[in-house]
Amino acid sequence: MAVTAPARTSLAVLPTPLVTASRLADALGLTEPLLVKRDDLTGFAVAGNKARQLELLVAEAEEQDADVVVTGGSTGSNFVAAAAAAAAYAGMGCVVVLAGDAVNRTDHPNLAAATAWGAQVRWTGNADRASVDEMIPAVAAQLARDGARPYVIPRGGASATGALGYRLAVDELVGQLAGRTPTIVIAVGAGGTLAGLVAGVVAHGNPLRIIGASVSRPVDEVAGRVLALAREVARRRGEKEPQPSDVELVDARGPGHGVASPAGAAAAALALRYAGLVLDPVYTAKALAALPAAVADGPALFWHTGGLLDAVAALMGPL
Ligand SMILES: Cc1ncc(COP(=O)(O)O)c(C=O)c1O
């Protein structure tokens, strides 16, 4: 079936580089080559992986003639800052719902960036991130009553529309790999990124194994979300639907979501020293730490997803 190209607002500088990291591979004890897909270099704001998702999300908001983006997350959310930048770029307002009670905007560089880029903040008053999911629709409804045209994006951009950005990224990667078949390891939070990759790998006939390192949720919980989103992406494109066995995850939470792990800190130190890569403690450091055991043997590919401002926050000390 011919697939219609989805509407996409150009934000990222694509393709991102695919590089080899031989000294890092040695330092991690790998005996086979290590490739790194540099989605920390997507080139829009400091959005990392979220730039690819926002290309599709902003396009859909524009198609719906929205004038304000409503999304949310935690205080240090990379996605919230990225969404604020994308909304500003597209000439839309941005209202973000953040879990917990108001903190100083300079307490986290992502919050400082989001507000500097024009986001208005609404606090849920509840530290549980689920409170954000409850409040986003209420905030959007109020904005609509006030005459605005809101476009709602779930936490992390984890909708089928957002995930489509990573379905398209697989086409890009397969071209760069030119027949090589490394096992991919990538950090997983809300799951939209992995869902798109799974849909893409299945659409290409499963040439690559992909392992998600879940840093936020228990593996069973995130597997269901990823499969449902990946299937929706496939249905939209008229491509083969992924099966449960296509979603592979390892638990990389360590001491918990948003809490740095000693293994992650060690992996981040090696990445910086041997490959010049800056990893954040919340997502990418934990994913790289999980890579050697997850891949076991054969060539590997670490998909770097960004998190630069969280890396800066870690340098500056705890919240
Ligand atoms: C740096 C970084 N890596 C990976 C992820 C995971 O992406 P997803 O939420 O789509 O699973 C995120 C999500 O916020 C992120 O900020």
Side-chain angles (χ1 to χ4, degrees):
M1 180 195 293
V3 178
T4 322
R8 196 171 179 180
T9 299
S10 177
L11 300 175
V13 181
L14 302 177
T16 55
L18 179 67
V19 301
T20 50
S22 310
R23 295 191 70 223
L24 178 58
D26 291 345
L28 289 169
L30 305 178
T31 52
E32 305 254 7
L34 174 65
L35 295 168
V36 182
K37 178 67 170 160
R38 297 292 307 270
D39 270 13
D40 54 324
L41 301 179
T42 49
F44 176 76
V46 277
N49 61 325
K50 301 301 179 181
R52 290 188 191 265
Q53 293 162 317
L54 283 161
E55 290 202 335
L56 284 294
L57 293 163
V58 168
E60 189 170 79
E62 285 171 334
E63 276 177 351
Q64 294 178 11
D65 196 28
D67 60 7
V68 57
V69 167
V70 183
T71 190
S74 54
T75 304
S77 167
N78 296 311
F79 180 71
V80 161
Y89 177 77
M92 296 179 204
C94 184
V95 179
V96 298
V97 176
L98 300 184
D101 296 310
V103 298
N104 195 320
R105 63 181 286 279
T106 54
D107 280 347
H108 196 291
N110 274 323
L111 178 58
T115 54
W117 296 337
Q120 293 176 29
V121 181
R122 306 270 192 277
W123 297 93
T124 67
N126 182 342
D128 185 352
R129 287 179 294 158
S131 64
V132 172
D133 305 337
E134 286 158 24
M135 198 165 145
I136 285 176
V139 168
Q142 184 59 53
L143 286 165
R145 280 195 295 278
D146 295 343
R149 298 185 302 280
Y151 177 77
V152 169
I153 307 179
R155 270 193 292 144
S159 66
T161 302
L164 201 45
Y166 270 89
R167 159 63 194 87
L168 301 175
V170 175
D171 298 343
E172 177 183 308
L173 178 71
V174 165
Q176 289 176 316
L177 285 174
R180 289 169 291 175
T181 55
T183 297
I184 298 169
V185 174
I186 189 163
V188 176
T193 301
L194 181 62
L197 292 179
V198 167
V201 166
V202 170
H204 278 267
N206 290 80
L208 303 162
R209 184 174 168 213
I210 171 150
I211 301 170
S214 183
V215 303
S216 177
R217 294 177 172 80
V219 161
D220 290 349
E221 189 186 323
V222 83
R225 293 164 60 98
V226 168
L227 182 62
L229 276 176
R231 286 183 161 164
E232 200 180 331
V233 169
R235 279 195 295 273
R236 281 196 193 184
R237 292 180 55 83
E239 294 175 335
K240 188 176 169 210
E241 282 194 33
Q243 299 305 307
S245 59
D246 295 316
V247 180
E248 266 192 83
L249 288 154
V250 293
D251 192 334
R253 288 174 296 167
H257 174 61
V259 184
S261 68
L270 295 179
L272 184 68
R273 181 163 176 189
Y274 293 107
L277 299 173
V278 178
L279 303 189
D280 75 288
V282 180
Y283 292 95
T284 52
K286 287 180 177 176
L288 184 65
L291 184 144
V295 174
D297 54 20
L301 185 152
F302 174 62
W303 202 310
H304 193 331
T305 47
L308 182 62
L309 293 185
D310 248 331
V312 172
L315 295 174
M316 296 175 74
L319 262 185

